[in-house]
Amino acid sequence: MARKRGFPEFPLFLLFMFVAGLHLLACPFTKVEESFNLQAVHDILYHRLDLEKYDHHEFPGVVPRTFLGPLFISALSTPMAGLLTFLEAPKFYMQIIVRGVLGLCVCLTLWNMQKEVRRQFGSLVASLFCLISASQFHLMFYSTRMLPNVFALPVVLLAFTSWMAQRQGRFICFSAFVIIVLRSELCLLLGLMLLMSLLSRRLSIPQLFYYAVPAGILSLGLTVCVDSVFWKKLLWPEGQELRFIIYTFPVFNIVAARGCSFILNNYQKSWRYKIGSLLIMGHLVANGVYSSVSLYVSHHNYPGGKAMQELHALVPSTSDVSLHIDVLAAQTGVSRFLELNSKWRYDKREDLAPGDPFLKTYSHILMEANSTQISLLSDSHKPLIFIQGYEHIEINVSRVPPLSIKLNSKLVVLERLPHSQYT
């Protein structure tokens, strides 16, 4: 197939890595949806075989999750964890590294997909696929997020690339693994692709069973054996949630890239194609602008993580600190990687109401910035610092830029009074 002019391959991989890394560094904290996988990676790296200390025993979540994804990321991150421990660097850097490793896996599989796109449709289509994907906020932003969907995404991309290349055995094996181990709802997407292969006679029924049966048995056996150890009971963990859309982004991007390539290749033929070419360029610019605004908003949307950083900066490391973390803080950025002082006591128990006398025994409390709740603790604690977070976007066309972010106090760190009866 003739190769139409486009960008060379390796700079496109660097583009993926740069954009994903930019999103990671701008928003280094995590939300509650990422909690299980992030805490699991932390526990594997730092507690290893001491399963009693693992976070999921205290906070199991709504449904059991598999440890295979966290085990894979932990294995790739172990050398850096050992180096940071040797250098006595804060654990928070390790949070950035493990998320970066996940982002690297996504970027590598996207780059692998563009290779197959380049082989089948030419370098211009492959280049446009990369530019469209890299400029999309959600794909790049979530590429480093410790979500079950994102753990599944690299495997889905490998399966789709194998399907494009008509490597049916690899496609079936990847599909079986990701459906059985990570996300069962993917049987809808991958099942339709399998049906297309059967109807087009690129795959026969005997071939299907030849690959699917052993792949299914091995995948099921692996997840049951490994996860039963971590959960301490015979278990096949799988959450039945329909979070489907992110897997389809790269597929739609290939279709969009082919359409854009057709318009650009016919640029000289008529004024319609010239206008279409301008619209394509405008679309990429609009994607970049939207991604920049969204990233700026997201940067201010993790007050829990910011509060933990501020607390460790304000309170001497030698102080005797017992910190209670409320639900809102735990949902907006707090993780085990932010428990930076091994001598401090961190507690996320959820059964303490703001007026509970036991709550007053903590030296510090990280909680929602609610004046009523703060007043209930006024006899024992005083505000140390208020943490602001995203409230809404304000538009004022008389200003440059016309968009601005309205912040509001979301969390407060309370410090126990020096002469409190609870000291």
Side-chain angles (χ1 to χ4, degrees):
M1 178 176 291
R3 302 294 181 103
K4 296 183 175 66
R5 185 173 53 196
F7 293 104
E9 287 188 72
F10 190 66
L12 294 173
F13 172 69
L14 295 179
L15 175 65
F16 278 138
M17 289 300 301
F18 172 77
V19 177
L22 182 64
H23 283 74
L24 169 59
L25 295 178
C27 300
F29 306 115
T30 59
K31 284 290 184 72
V32 63
E33 295 87 356
E34 306 166 66
S35 177
F36 172 80
N37 286 317
L38 186 68
Q39 313 294 26
V41 171
H42 171 275
D43 294 341
I44 293 168
L45 289 173
Y46 291 100
H47 299 319
R48 298 186 182 274
L49 298 178
D50 191 355
L51 301 183
E52 296 297 330
K53 294 183 178 179
Y54 276 45
D55 184 83
H56 70 285
H57 295 308
E58 185 178 0
F59 303 99
V62 179
V63 292
R65 298 288 189 187
T66 180
F67 273 82
L68 287 178
L71 275 170
F72 179 75
I73 297 298
S74 300
L76 296 178
S77 307
T78 294
M80 287 302 300
L83 178 61
L84 290 183
T85 301
F86 175 76
L87 297 175
E88 298 183 349
K91 283 198 301 184
F92 178 57
Y93 293 143
M94 201 60 217
Q95 175 169 308
I96 296 175
I97 289 172
V98 298
R99 288 185 53 201
V101 168
L102 177 59
L104 176 62
C105 294
V106 174
C107 291
L108 283 172
T109 49
L110 282 170
W111 190 46
N112 182 58
M113 175 180 277
Q114 75 82 28
K115 285 185 174 182
E116 185 59 29
V117 171
R118 185 179 296 262
R119 188 182 72 83
Q120 294 197 24
F121 306 118
S123 59
L124 180 58
V125 177
S127 300
L128 287 168
F129 164 75
C130 293
L131 291 174
I132 293 170
S133 299
S135 65
Q136 285 177 335
F137 171 72
H138 288 87
L139 185 58
M140 290 291 99
F141 180 79
Y142 283 101
S143 66
T144 64
R145 296 277 150 190
M146 307 292 279
L147 295 165
N149 321 58
V150 181
F151 274 81
L153 180 58
V155 188
V156 175
L157 294 177
L158 290 174
F160 186 80
T161 303
S162 300
W163 182 80
M164 287 181 63
Q166 299 188 33
R167 297 175 179 173
Q168 303 298 337
R170 292 182 58 183
F171 165 67
I172 293 171
C173 291
F174 285 131
S175 299
F177 178 83
V178 77
I179 290 170
I180 292 173
V181 175
L182 297 173
R183 305 297 300 179
S184 61
E185 81 273 9
L186 279 165
C187 64
L188 299 174
L189 173 64
L190 299 174
L192 287 174
M193 294 164 60
L194 179 63
L195 183 61
M196 292 174 64
S197 295
L198 290 171
L199 293 177
S200 64
R201 298 186 178 180
R202 290 180 291 179
L203 178 69
S204 66
I205 297 294
Q207 285 178 311
L208 170 61
F209 282 101
Y210 177 80
Y211 292 112
V213 172
I217 292 174
L218 288 174
S219 298
L220 181 60
L222 181 63
T223 184
V224 170
C225 290
V226 171
D227 292 309
S228 295
V229 172
F230 282 97
W231 289 97
K232 296 186 175 181
K233 59 183 177 180
L234 187 63
L235 182 71
W236 175 18
E238 170 59 27
Q240 304 298 327
E241 301 170 277
L242 191 62
R243 293 182 178 178
F244 188 71
I245 190 66
I246 193 172
Y247 315 115
T248 62
F249 281 10
V251 180
F252 289 134
N253 289 346
I254 294 175
V255 177
R258 290 201 67 187
C260 293
S261 173
F262 175 79
I263 294 173
L264 292 174
N265 284 329
N266 292 279
Y267 172 80
Q268 300 290 345
K269 291 187 176 179
S270 75
W271 61 269
R272 292 184 179 87
Y273 289 113
K274 289 182 172 63
I275 293 177
S277 299
L278 291 176
L279 290 175
I280 291 170
M281 299 300 107
H283 159 252
L284 293 174
V285 172
N287 265 3
V289 172
Y290 174 77
S291 295
S292 300
V293 173
S294 299
L295 185 60
Y296 181 66
V297 170
S298 300
H299 174 74
H300 296 283
N301 212 19
Y302 298 86
K306 181 66 174 176
M308 290 290 281
Q309 282 192 329
E310 293 289 342
L311 177 65
H312 286 90
L314 291 173
V315 179
S317 60
T318 55
S319 300
D320 182 19
V321 172
S322 57
L323 172 67
H324 181 265
I325 301 165
D326 83 343
V327 174
L328 181 61
Q331 291 177 342
T332 57
V334 175
S335 75
R336 297 291 188 192
F337 285 102
L338 287 170
E339 297 178 358
L340 304 181
N341 195 321
S342 59
K343 297 179 181 179
W344 291 7
R345 299 182 299 280
Y346 304 87
D347 191 356
K348 295 189 296 183
R349 59 185 297 183
E350 300 175 359
D351 59 342
L352 297 178
D356 194 309
F358 187 77
L359 193 62
K360 299 180 180 182
T361 63
Y362 291 92
S363 67
H364 294 79
I365 302 172
L366 174 55
M367 60 182 289
E368 182 181 357
N370 182 298
S371 58
T372 301
Q373 296 181 8
I374 295 173
S375 65
L376 294 174
L377 298 166
S378 60
D379 62 332
S380 60
H381 290 76
K382 64 178 180 179
L384 176 64
I385 186 173
F386 286 88
I387 306 298
Q388 293 192 318
Y390 170 76
E391 185 70 20
H392 60 262
I393 295 179
E394 292 183 339
I395 301 177
N396 187 339
V397 294
S398 63
R399 294 184 305 196
V400 179
L403 296 178
S404 62
I405 304 297
K406 174 66 175 178
L407 302 178
N408 200 3
S409 294
K410 297 294 183 179
L411 298 173
V412 61
V413 177
L414 300 181
E415 186 175 54
R416 191 166 54 200
L417 296 170
H419 302 296
S420 169
Q421 60 176 314
Y422 301 98
T423 303

